[in-house]
Amino acid sequence: MSPGERDRAGFNVVTFDAIGSTNDEARRLAAAGAADGTVVWARKQTSGRGRRGRAWLSPRGNLYCSVLLRPHVDIAVAAQFSLVTAVALAETFTELLPRRGHVQQKWPNDVLINGRKAAGILLESSGMGTGRPDWLIVGCGVNVARLPELPETVATSLHAEGAGEATPEQVLQAFLAHLQVWRRRWETEGMAPVRRAWLDRAYGLGERLVVRLPGSMLQGVFRGLDEQGALLLASDDGRLLTVTSGELFFGRDRPEGETRCC
Ligand code: BTN
């Protein structure tokens, strides 16, 4: 562990030069009793993980961190933290980009700059996906200087969008400050302000899209978020569906082989 533990914006950051996955290390620390607010940060990952079992290539130059939380709420509510995190990342990018690039959140867990993915969030929790989790881990990968290839994704980085001076450490510092503000707001005021902030920067609102679920697809128009942060989809058969998980494909980024929609 190097150079050790530091306090930033009320978080306790544990720093590594290289590690397999910061999410895995955060899980280990959670099991060993680490406190809420512990953050694992690594300059490089050798087995970074993305959503849906994908690899997250993690060369030096980008930000890889995992925030350990011990929320006193059920998992359905704790899962809202991915939107809290996306809003904090979007504010961070807006602050760092000199030309104020067009920063948006893509439901559920991505942050885009000028329509390209700049960050992804991987939320993991203890338990079996029901009840109150003992811990929640929010893993964030931010393309700061490097642009690893991502399957089915058009990606960008902070440097490519004009924030050429930003270092992973600066991005972490700014992100944790925004995260602290939004976490407190979420705890005291609930999901309403998070939902409003998220919708202000929503990618694809009002557009046609395909939602890929395990084993099936839904098609329709993205109508917004419900009060819990689930996606509202006006389906082609006239129903308003509430979607709690899935992958979204708008227009040109629709899944391979899918030609009927958007
Ligand atoms: C995605 O698929 O978009 C989510 C990517 C999440 C990557 C981050 S990098 C830090 C943390 N450690 C991991 O192994 N994954 C997450």
Side-chain angles (χ1 to χ4, degrees):
M1 204 181 294
S2 163
E5 300 189 359
R6 278 175 271 182
D7 274 323
R8 292 165 203 250
F11 292 95
N12 187 31
V13 181
V14 184
T15 306
F16 292 82
D17 182 53
I19 200 169
S21 154
T22 56
N23 264 39
D24 290 346
E25 180 61 19
R27 291 173 84 115
R28 273 192 288 277
L29 291 175
D36 176 281
T38 301
V39 177
V40 178
W41 169 40
R43 294 191 175 275
K44 172 185 169 175
Q45 295 184 122
T46 51
S47 323
R49 294 188 282 110
R51 293 199 302 278
R52 295 171 204 289
R54 293 177 181 140
W56 185 264
L57 295 176
S58 309
R60 228 171 261 285
N62 288 345
L63 174 63
Y64 315 106
C65 67
S66 300
V67 181
L68 164 62
L69 302 171
R70 296 197 183 272
H72 301 292
V73 292
D74 279 1
I75 187 62
V77 177
Q80 295 172 353
F81 211 79
S82 63
L83 300 190
V84 174
T85 306
V87 167
L89 282 170
E91 285 194 347
T92 303
F93 296 174
T94 303
E95 177 186 310
L96 292 170
L97 288 167
R99 293 191 299 274
R100 298 276 181 246
H102 191 39
V103 180
Q104 292 174 301
Q105 301 106 180
K106 181 179 173 191
W107 193 90
N109 287 335
D110 292 342
V111 185
L112 314 184
I113 306 173
N114 297 323
R116 294 160 181 260
K117 178 164 173 169
I121 300 163
L122 179 65
L123 204 69
E124 297 180 326
S125 71
S126 61
M128 303 299 288
T130 55
R132 181 171 293 192
D134 179 41
W135 51 258
L136 184 75
I137 288 165
V138 189
C140 302
V142 177
N143 295 341
V144 179
R146 305 288 300 277
L147 206 42
E149 288 211 356
L150 298 169
E152 296 183 319
T153 306
V154 185
T156 192
S157 69
L158 285 169
H159 285 196
E161 300 296 339
E165 302 297 311
T167 65
E169 185 159 14
Q170 285 164 346
V171 179
L172 176 68
Q173 186 85 45
F175 164 57
L176 292 180
H178 286 288
L179 189 66
Q180 187 72 318
V181 169
W182 278 103
R183 180 185 189 180
R184 294 286 168 251
R185 202 166 284 168
W186 177 66
E187 284 172 346
T188 55
E189 299 172 50
M191 192 57 189
V194 178
R195 179 176 170 275
R196 275 196 303 274
W198 195 97
L199 286 170
D200 278 349
R201 288 200 184 95
Y203 177 73
L205 197 59
E207 289 179 27
R208 291 191 57 77
L209 80 164
V210 172
V211 184
R212 183 157 71 191
L213 306 168
S216 66
M217 299 272 196
L218 297 171
Q219 295 187 35
V221 175
F222 177 21
R223 286 289 177 224
L225 302 181
D226 76 1
E227 288 175 3
Q228 279 71 48
L231 180 133
L232 295 174
L233 180 79
S235 74
D236 291 348
D237 60 9
R239 290 176 300 154
L240 187 62
L241 305 176
T242 303
V243 180
T244 55
S245 70
E247 246 181 314
L248 308 191
F249 296 89
F250 294 87
R252 67 190 160 91
D253 56 10
R254 64 181 169 248
E256 229 168 79
E258 177 58 59
T259 55
R260 287 168 297 153
C261 179
C262 314

